[in-house]
């Protein structure tokens, strides 16, 4: 056991010594190998490819592992990557230590043929060596390449349909300097996982100028190519700058989430993947189809002298803020141009000073779509200072423009405005003498204005701000209406208690019933209400305890007891009789107008004594 | 009996005192007129001021304002014109003179808009009477409709209209009362007679006291409203040297600050 232990200890020591010796020898040999003769080799792997494949350009440096310095020559027919993969190795070959550095460049051919990378210098430490020339043979594509190419094209087409730009131009040709309002629409397929639009679309080419793009209008669920899209639209103002036939192209970039690449250097999607294996973001460039627009030069024939580049369809108007001023006072003249056209490129119409007016440069203001500046109202505000008094005329403002639809020049003159200019006050030079005079004249009006009162007038003990509210008499007088109100309340309450109010309520209800019966020509209801009303009014008049219980005979007796005329009694009897007939016999003996009967009853009841 | 006798004596005594006081004010007034005629404006001002300490009249304050105007003390002049107009609001000559004084003091006269005219202190009595008539007549009609008419519709319509009209009248009265309250606290700034102020402006300070920084400046003749304190009285502060400072703001509310008591004059003196 003891021997085994020592044996074990001894074995470990031997292992340690052997490892130490090996590494020391290796390091010595590496150091020794660094000093060996330097040699460079270059090759393509594979040396012959078809045009759709890639090759690797390898540069191997023997005898050194130092980082070399040099510039790889460019070959037109080849695309060579700038970032090579490097590999360092050390080995024993036939007992001789050897070190080497290997650099691999990805190469993609552009065209077929034999392409040679010429010999080029490479500096390693203090020595400069030549990398030997190397040739890559690029062959014509085979069947597999063609299939792949078709697949790639199809993929490209699909990708194009997934996200594309459309530019809508309302006109087939434009005139130089003309502005049209267009629309740039970015279509994004709903299944394309776009996280954001990196930038608003940009125009390629200098033949047109574009107005600033604002926030896009977003429309969802738009159908095109049997797909659902989200459409982002930017209204623009496109101005033709150079005559000729030009193409206009718009491009933008969108951020798209894509699946993680399989060739991760660590073999795991969680490295270099912002979505931890679910995908990563990539920028996708989107370009519109090139649209060819012809830009014509403006016709020179018939061009007015006052034409300054306004192109469109316009109407003009001029307004003056005042028609009568004093000499030297400014007047504002507003010249308004309304319509569709190149407002952004429109200078102010020429309106120059003359012997009557001094005219300043105008102020601009635009009402309308500030982004496209294609449709709206441009206002120029001129400040005119009259130089002479009298009845003057503000001259007309001349504005000429070219109508691109009618293809003609037009001149629009504003109307002349009459202006009355008063002479105003003369300016007096303030010299010392004049000051003296002024002082003298100043003293005169004050004595004239401020006459001294010789009598003191009515004296008051205090200057007080007394009002009616401070007066006791005012509050005392309030007792009168207060007592009136109290009296009214007292009387009203008493009246309610005696039942007169109930009588009036019943009376008005029966009157209302009668009126309704007249309106609907309901004789039965009318006579019923009449009988009730006669009972109520006659019974109450003669202070009967229960008027509603009175019969027709009892009512006649009550009437006879009073000082009533016989004609009144007989008429009431007659009405009661008719009412009874309607109520009990339902016969209609005599037909007469209910309205006239109603008036008759009212008169009869007033005659009751 | 003795009580009645002593009461009679007291009334008689106070009447004699009052007449004597008025007589003295008359005498001072006439002396002042004579001094003014003699060209001694300072003496005339002193005499008018003495008379105004005893009693007030529109003519006294008008004459005093004229004298101050002639001495180009426009702040004092505007103050006394305002006092005179308070005693005799219908005097058009005073109104014209006041406007001229404002012009000379480089100030704009108070704006005469609809609110200032029809809801001013002068219209307060009118609005109170209208308010009272609307209230009592409305109340009487209301109770009449309640007790003497069977239909409830007229009662409801009338009540609505009555509340509406009365609210409007009450609002107008309240506006007038607000202006009355402001008039009671209105002062006119003027340059103090002793101080040697070269700037011809009056400072409204951030805090009470001369050493404090100036918040804003005002011209003599400008109207100020003294601010009210928490207890409802004028907000003032007495500093160590005995001067009393008041917190004031301009009538449009744009300028505010503390002002010394000898830098303004009350239109209605709260102490008198």
């Amino acid at each position: 056991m003891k021997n085994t232990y020592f044996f074990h200890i001894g074995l470990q020591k031997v292992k340690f010594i052997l490892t130490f010796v090996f590494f020391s020898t290796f390091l010595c040999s590496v150091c020794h190998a660094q000093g060996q003769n330097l040699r460079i080799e270059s090759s393509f792997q594979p040396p012959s490819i078809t045009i759709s494949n890639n090759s690797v350009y390898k540069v191997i440096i023997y005898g050194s592992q130092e980082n070399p310095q040099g510039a790889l020559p460019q070959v037109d027919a080849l695309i060579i990557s700038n970032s090579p993969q490097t590999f360092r190795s050390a080995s024993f070959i036939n007992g001789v230590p050897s070190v080497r550095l290997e650099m691999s460049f990805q190469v993609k051919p552009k065209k077929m043929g034999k392409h040679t990378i010429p010999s080029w210098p490479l500096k390693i430490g203090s020595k400069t060596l030549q990398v030997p020339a190397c040739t890559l043979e690029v062959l014509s594509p085979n069947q597999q390449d063609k299939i792949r190419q078709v697949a790639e094209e199809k993929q490209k087409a699909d990708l194009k349909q997934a996200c594309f730009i459309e530019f809508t131009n309302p006109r087939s040709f434009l005139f130089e300097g003309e502005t049209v309002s267009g629309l740039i629409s970015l279509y994004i397929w709903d299944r394309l996982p776009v996280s954001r639009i990196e930038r608003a679309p940009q125009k390629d080419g200098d033949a047109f100028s574009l107005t600033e793009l604002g926030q896009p209008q977003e429309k969802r669920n738009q159908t095109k190519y049997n797909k659902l899209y989200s459409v982002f639209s930017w209204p623009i103002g496109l101005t033709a700058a150079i005559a000729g036939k030009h193409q206009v192209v718009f491009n933008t970039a969108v951020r798209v989430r894509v699946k993680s690449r399989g060739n991760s250097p660590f073999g795991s999607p969680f490295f270099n993947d912002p979505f931890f294996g679910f995908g990563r973001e990539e920028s996708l460039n989107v370009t519109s189809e090139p649209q060819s627009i012809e830009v014509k030069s403006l016709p020179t024939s018939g061009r007015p002298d006052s034409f300054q580049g306004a192109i469109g369809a316009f109407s003009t108007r001029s307004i003056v803020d005042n028609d009568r001023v004093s000499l030297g006072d400014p007047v504002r003249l507003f010249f308004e141009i309304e319509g569709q056209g190149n407002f952004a490129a429109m200078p102010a119409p020429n309106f120059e000073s003359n012997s009557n007016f001094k005219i300043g440069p105008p102020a601009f203001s635009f009402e309308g779509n500030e982004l496209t500046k294609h449709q709206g109202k441009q206002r120029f505000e001129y400040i005119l200072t009259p130089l002479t008094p009298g009845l003057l005329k503000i001259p007309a403002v001349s504005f000429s423009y070219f109508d691109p639809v009618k293809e003609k020049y037009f001149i629009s003159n504003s109307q002349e405005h009459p202006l009355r200019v008063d002479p105003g006050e003369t300016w007096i030079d303030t010299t010392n003498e004049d000051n003296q005079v002024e002082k003298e004249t100043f003293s005169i009006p004050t004595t004239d204005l401020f006459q001294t009162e010789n009598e003191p007038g009515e004296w008051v003990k205090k200057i007080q701000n007394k009002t009616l509210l401070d007066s006791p008499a005012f509050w005392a007088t309030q007792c009168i209406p207060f007592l009136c109100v109290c009296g009214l309340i007292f009387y009203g309450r008493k009246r309610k208690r005696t039942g007169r109010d109930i009588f009036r309520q019943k009376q008005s209800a029966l009157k209302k019933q009668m009126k309704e019966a007249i309106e609907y020509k309901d004789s039965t209801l009318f006579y019923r209400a009449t009988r009730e009303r006669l009972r109520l009014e006659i019974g109450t008049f003669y202070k009967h305890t229960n008027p509603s219980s009175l019969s027709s005979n009892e009512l006649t007796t009550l009437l006879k007891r009073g000082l009533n005329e016989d004609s009144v009694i007989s008429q009431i009897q007659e009405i009661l009789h008719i009412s009874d007939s309607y109520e009990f016999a339902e016969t209609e003996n005599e037909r007469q107008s209910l309205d006239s009967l109603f008036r008759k009853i009212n008169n009869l009841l007033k005659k009751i004594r | 009996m003795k009580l009645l006798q002593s009461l009679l004596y007291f009334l008689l005594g106070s009447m004699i005192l009052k007449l004597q006081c008025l007589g003295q004010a008359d005498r001072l007034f006439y002396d002042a007129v004579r001094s003014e005629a003699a060209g001694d404006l300072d003496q005339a001002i002193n005499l008018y001021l003495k008379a105004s300490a005893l009693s007030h009249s529109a003519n006294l304050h008008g004459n005093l304002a004229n004298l101050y105007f002639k001495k180009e003390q426009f702040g004092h002049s505007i103050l006394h014109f305002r006092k005179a107009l308070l005693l005799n609001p219908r005097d058009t000559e005073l109104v014209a003179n006041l406007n001229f004084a404002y012009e000379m003091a480089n100030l704009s006269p108070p704006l005469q808009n609809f609110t200032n005219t029809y809801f001013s202190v002068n219209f307060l009595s009118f609005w109170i009477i209208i308010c009272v008539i609307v209230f009592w007549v409305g109340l009487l009609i209301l109770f009449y409709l309640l007790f003497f008419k069977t239909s409830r519709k007229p009662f409801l319509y009338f009540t609505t209209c009555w509340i509406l009209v009365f609210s409007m009248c009450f609002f107008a009265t309240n506006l007038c009362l607000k202006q009355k309250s402001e008039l009671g606290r209105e002062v006119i700034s003027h340059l103090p007679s002793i101080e040697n102020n070269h700037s011809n402006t009056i400072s409204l300070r951030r805090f009470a006291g001369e050493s404090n920084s100036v918040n804003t400046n005002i011209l003599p003749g400008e109207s100020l409203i003294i601010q009210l304190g928490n207890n409802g009285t004028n907000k003032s502060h007495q500093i160590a040297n005995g001067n009393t400072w008041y917190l004031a703001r301009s009538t449009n509310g744009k300028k505010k600050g503390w002002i010394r008591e000898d830098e303004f004059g009350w239109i209605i003196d709260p102490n008198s």
Side-chain angles (χ1 to χ4, degrees):
Chain A
M1 191 66 189
K2 201 174 180 181
N3 290 339
T4 316
Y5 175 75
F6 281 108
F7 176 75
H8 186 71
I9 294 295
L11 196 67
Q12 272 192 340
K13 272 184 181 176
V14 170
K15 267 185 181 176
F16 175 76
I17 290 160
L18 280 173
T19 311
F20 177 75
V21 169
F22 174 76
F23 275 105
S24 307
T25 316
F26 181 77
L27 282 170
C28 286
S29 62
V30 166
C31 292
H32 175 73
Q34 289 282 0
Q36 278 181 340
N37 286 334
L38 286 168
R39 185 163 57 89
I40 296 179
E41 280 179 9
S42 69
S43 64
F44 279 103
Q45 283 182 0
S48 132
I49 53 168
T50 56
I51 191 150
S52 57
N53 288 315
N54 293 351
S55 181
V56 177
Y57 175 58
K58 279 195 171 183
V59 177
I60 305 164
I61 303 160
Y62 293 96
S64 175
Q65 285 188 331
E66 281 185 57
N67 278 333
Q69 288 177 351
L72 190 69
Q74 293 298 315
V75 179
D76 290 341
L78 301 175
I79 301 166
I80 305 169
S81 75
N82 286 324
S83 51
Q85 285 184 346
T86 53
F87 176 70
R88 287 179 173 83
S89 65
S91 57
F92 286 97
I93 300 165
N94 298 327
V96 180
S98 167
V99 288
R100 67 173 186 170
L101 174 72
E102 204 175 291
M103 291 190 292
S104 303
F105 298 86
Q106 286 287 328
V107 177
K108 186 176 172 60
K110 281 185 192 170
K111 56 185 178 185
M112 290 181 292
K114 283 188 175 180
H115 310 297
T116 307
I117 296 175
S119 177
W120 52 287
L122 198 64
K123 195 176 176 186
I124 303 153
S126 57
K127 289 180 181 174
T128 304
L129 297 170
Q130 284 291 322
V131 180
C134 184
T135 303
L136 175 71
E137 191 178 8
V138 181
L139 304 169
S140 57
N142 57 19
Q143 197 60 35
Q144 197 179 1
D145 288 339
K146 281 176 184 169
I147 291 163
R148 198 187 297 153
Q149 201 173 350
V150 169
E152 273 177 10
E153 272 170 15
K154 191 176 178 295
Q155 200 179 359
K156 270 186 187 172
D158 281 348
L159 194 65
K160 221 172 192 179
Q161 277 193 4
C163 189
F164 59 94
I165 292 175
E166 257 190 16
F167 169 58
T168 319
N169 178 20
R171 278 166 60 78
S172 55
F173 68 91
L174 299 175
F175 281 97
E176 201 176 346
E178 186 188 345
T179 302
V180 285
S181 64
L183 193 72
I184 301 171
S185 304
L186 172 67
Y187 285 77
I188 298 172
W189 186 29
D190 277 358
R191 290 190 186 177
L192 191 71
V194 173
S195 55
R196 66 189 162 89
I197 300 165
E198 284 189 339
R199 55 179 165 82
Q202 287 175 348
K203 168 186 67 68
D204 286 344
D206 300 326
F208 300 94
S209 68
L210 197 69
T211 53
E212 191 188 338
L213 299 181
Q215 286 297 313
Q217 295 159 5
E218 189 181 344
K219 281 182 192 170
R220 295 199 175 270
N221 300 327
Q222 301 292 306
T223 312
K224 198 158 189 173
Y225 307 128
N226 292 326
K227 290 188 178 98
L228 278 178
Y229 290 92
S230 292
V231 184
F232 296 87
S233 307
W234 288 267
I236 54 152
L238 188 77
T239 307
I242 305 163
K245 196 154 189 172
H246 303 284
Q247 280 194 335
V248 62
V249 177
F250 294 95
N251 66 68
T252 186
V254 291
R255 205 83 185 152
V256 186
R257 279 193 305 278
V258 292
K259 281 182 184 173
S260 185
R261 278 188 193 132
N263 56 352
S264 169
F266 299 98
S268 165
F270 290 96
F271 294 98
N272 77 0
D273 187 346
F275 296 97
F276 300 101
F278 296 104
R280 61 191 167 77
E281 279 198 341
E282 251 188 32
S283 182
L284 178 71
N285 286 318
V286 187
T287 310
S288 71
E289 288 292 331
Q291 196 167 344
S292 189
I293 302 171
E294 190 188 350
V295 180
K296 292 180 179 177
S297 295
L298 287 171
T300 47
S301 62
R303 185 184 290 186
D305 293 336
S306 58
F307 178 72
Q308 289 181 299
I311 302 169
F314 305 106
S315 64
T316 62
R317 193 168 77 118
S318 68
I319 314 157
V320 177
D321 74 334
N322 215 336
D323 59 356
R324 186 174 178 174
V325 289
S326 292
L327 188 67
D329 286 349
V331 186
R332 288 192 298 174
L333 173 80
F334 299 99
F335 185 70
E336 292 174 352
I337 302 167
E338 196 170 0
Q340 287 186 343
N342 57 347
F343 284 105
M346 189 186 292
N350 265 338
F351 195 42
E352 289 183 353
S353 302
N354 54 30
S355 56
N356 287 336
F357 294 100
K358 185 185 163 192
I359 302 163
F364 292 67
S365 65
F366 181 74
E367 286 172 29
N369 192 332
E370 287 284 345
L371 286 174
T372 60
K373 276 202 171 177
H374 178 252
Q375 188 169 12
K377 192 201 279 182
Q378 177 83 53
R379 184 182 246 212
F380 300 99
E381 183 187 332
Y382 295 90
I383 304 289
L384 286 79
T385 313
L387 301 172
T388 53
L391 196 61
L392 306 179
K393 274 191 176 176
I394 296 172
V397 182
S398 180
F399 170 72
S400 55
Y401 61 94
F402 179 74
D403 192 325
V405 179
K406 292 173 185 168
E407 299 190 16
K408 271 169 75 180
Y409 288 99
F410 290 90
I411 300 174
S412 173
N413 286 324
S414 70
Q415 63 182 59
E416 287 186 336
H417 296 277
L419 179 73
R420 186 172 167 176
V421 182
D422 295 328
E425 289 184 17
T426 315
W427 180 69
I428 302 162
D429 190 12
T430 51
T431 56
N432 287 338
E433 278 179 24
D434 290 342
N435 274 339
Q436 196 80 31
V437 174
E438 201 180 327
K439 271 186 183 173
E440 279 169 17
T441 50
F442 175 72
S443 60
I444 297 161
T446 54
T447 48
D448 282 351
L449 265 171
F450 302 104
Q451 296 285 327
T452 305
E453 295 291 340
N454 294 325
E455 292 298 324
E458 192 189 343
W459 288 106
V460 289
K461 190 70 190 156
K462 287 177 186 173
I463 301 176
Q464 283 178 326
N465 194 10
K466 276 201 167 181
T467 60
L468 210 57
L469 294 173
D470 302 320
S471 160
F474 168 77
W475 293 109
T477 48
Q478 300 310 305
C479 294
I480 300 164
F482 177 72
L483 288 172
C484 288
V485 170
C486 287
L488 192 70
I489 294 168
F490 179 73
Y491 179 66
R493 283 179 69 85
K494 193 181 169 188
R495 199 161 169 271
K496 279 221 164 185
R497 277 180 197 157
T498 53
R500 280 199 68 182
D501 205 49
I502 297 162
F503 164 74
R504 285 179 72 87
Q505 276 179 3
K506 280 183 180 173
Q507 190 191 29
S508 66
L510 287 168
K511 271 186 183 176
K512 196 178 169 186
Q513 214 171 0
M514 285 168 86
K515 280 179 187 171
E516 278 176 4
I518 293 165
E519 198 179 335
Y520 297 114
K521 293 176 183 170
D522 188 347
S523 305
T524 315
L525 179 68
F526 179 80
Y527 283 111
R528 194 182 293 157
T530 306
R531 197 152 54 87
E532 284 298 316
R533 193 179 159 195
L534 288 171
R535 273 177 186 168
L536 179 77
E537 293 203 17
I538 295 167
T540 312
F541 187 81
Y542 292 108
K543 293 177 181 170
H544 191 273
T545 48
N546 190 7
S548 58
S549 65
L550 290 168
S551 66
S552 296
N553 290 335
E554 283 170 332
L555 286 171
T556 315
T557 316
L558 283 172
L559 288 168
K560 280 178 181 170
R561 206 186 291 166
L563 302 167
N564 296 301
E565 290 169 16
D566 289 343
S567 63
V568 173
I569 297 168
S570 64
Q571 282 180 52
I572 291 173
Q573 267 182 324
E574 193 187 345
I575 293 163
L576 283 168
H577 178 69
I578 297 165
S579 303
D580 287 343
S581 302
Y582 264 97
E583 181 74 23
F584 302 112
E586 291 185 354
T587 54
E588 196 178 340
N589 296 333
E590 194 181 344
R591 180 175 285 277
Q592 61 176 310
S593 163
L594 295 178
D595 196 27
S596 61
L597 191 61
F598 177 69
R599 283 197 294 274
K600 189 180 169 185
I601 291 163
N602 284 344
N603 288 331
L604 284 172
L605 286 170
K606 278 177 192 168
K607 287 176 185 170
I608 292 172
R609 301 277 181 273
Chain B
M1 191 69 187
K2 268 189 178 178
L3 187 73
L4 197 69
Q5 205 175 2
S6 54
L7 192 71
L8 204 69
Y9 281 137
F10 174 74
L11 284 171
L12 203 67
S14 60
M15 265 180 73
I16 290 163
L17 207 69
K18 196 178 175 182
L19 282 170
Q20 203 180 3
C21 185
L22 287 178
Q24 205 180 349
D26 269 338
R27 187 179 56 75
L28 286 165
F29 182 88
Y30 290 123
D31 285 348
V33 172
R34 272 194 292 278
S35 300
E36 192 186 341
D40 191 353
L41 300 186
D42 291 330
Q43 177 64 15
I45 288 171
N46 280 334
L47 289 166
Y48 278 131
L49 286 174
K50 276 180 188 170
S52 71
L54 295 169
S55 199
H56 301 270
S57 83
N59 288 352
L60 181 144
H61 284 290
N63 285 356
L64 195 52
N66 289 348
L67 287 175
Y68 276 125
F69 186 90
K70 284 170 187 173
K71 287 182 74 62
E72 295 185 10
Q73 294 180 12
F74 301 117
H76 284 100
S77 176
I78 289 166
L79 170 67
H80 287 284
F81 275 131
R82 290 290 305 271
K83 284 187 178 191
L85 270 172
L86 210 63
L87 293 164
N88 188 7
R90 289 185 188 85
D91 194 331
T92 50
E93 200 181 326
L94 284 172
V95 174
N97 290 354
L98 175 64
N99 284 337
F100 192 57
Y102 271 121
E103 198 182 322
M104 295 305 293
N106 289 325
L107 293 168
S108 50
L111 277 177
Q112 289 297 316
N113 55 21
F114 183 79
T115 316
N116 285 357
T117 313
Y118 295 105
F119 303 108
S120 66
V121 184
N122 297 337
F123 273 80
L124 178 59
S125 299
F126 168 78
W127 284 115
I128 289 171
I129 289 166
I130 293 287
C131 214
V132 164
I133 289 170
V134 168
F135 178 74
W136 287 121
V137 171
L139 208 62
L140 280 167
I141 295 170
L142 205 73
F143 282 118
Y144 171 76
L145 291 175
L146 186 68
F147 290 122
F148 297 90
K149 289 284 168 188
T150 48
S151 176
R152 284 284 171 266
K153 264 187 185 174
F155 175 77
L156 288 172
Y157 290 146
F158 180 78
T159 311
T160 316
C161 292
W162 179 63
I163 290 169
L164 211 71
V165 174
F166 182 68
S167 306
M168 281 157 72
C169 294
F170 187 77
F171 178 70
T173 313
N174 198 42
L175 275 180
C176 293
L177 282 169
K178 199 181 160 194
Q179 292 225 9
K180 180 187 173 267
S181 163
E182 288 205 343
L183 182 67
R185 291 181 285 123
E186 191 175 350
V187 296
I188 304 291
S189 60
H190 57 68
L191 292 170
S193 46
I194 310 158
E195 199 171 285
N196 190 15
N197 190 343
H198 298 291
S199 66
N200 280 333
T201 55
I202 297 146
S203 304
L204 295 183
R205 295 174 192 279
R206 289 182 197 279
F207 303 100
E210 276 131 58
S211 56
N212 286 304
S213 58
V214 175
N215 198 21
T216 182
N217 285 312
I218 53 168
L219 288 169
E222 263 189 71
S223 289
L224 296 170
I225 309 291
I226 301 294
Q227 295 281 81
L228 287 175
N230 290 333
N231 53 1
T233 57
N234 295 329
K235 196 164 186 177
S236 62
H237 179 70
Q238 194 167 30
I239 60 169
N241 64 4
N243 283 335
T244 308
W245 290 74
Y246 287 87
L247 182 64
R249 63 165 171 84
S250 58
T251 45
N252 57 13
K254 286 181 180 172
K255 295 175 178 179
K256 194 178 171 184
W258 289 86
I259 186 167
R260 210 171 58 211
E261 61 182 338
D262 62 340
E263 288 177 330
F264 66 83
W266 294 91
I267 295 175
I268 300 166
D269 197 341
N271 303 319
S272 67

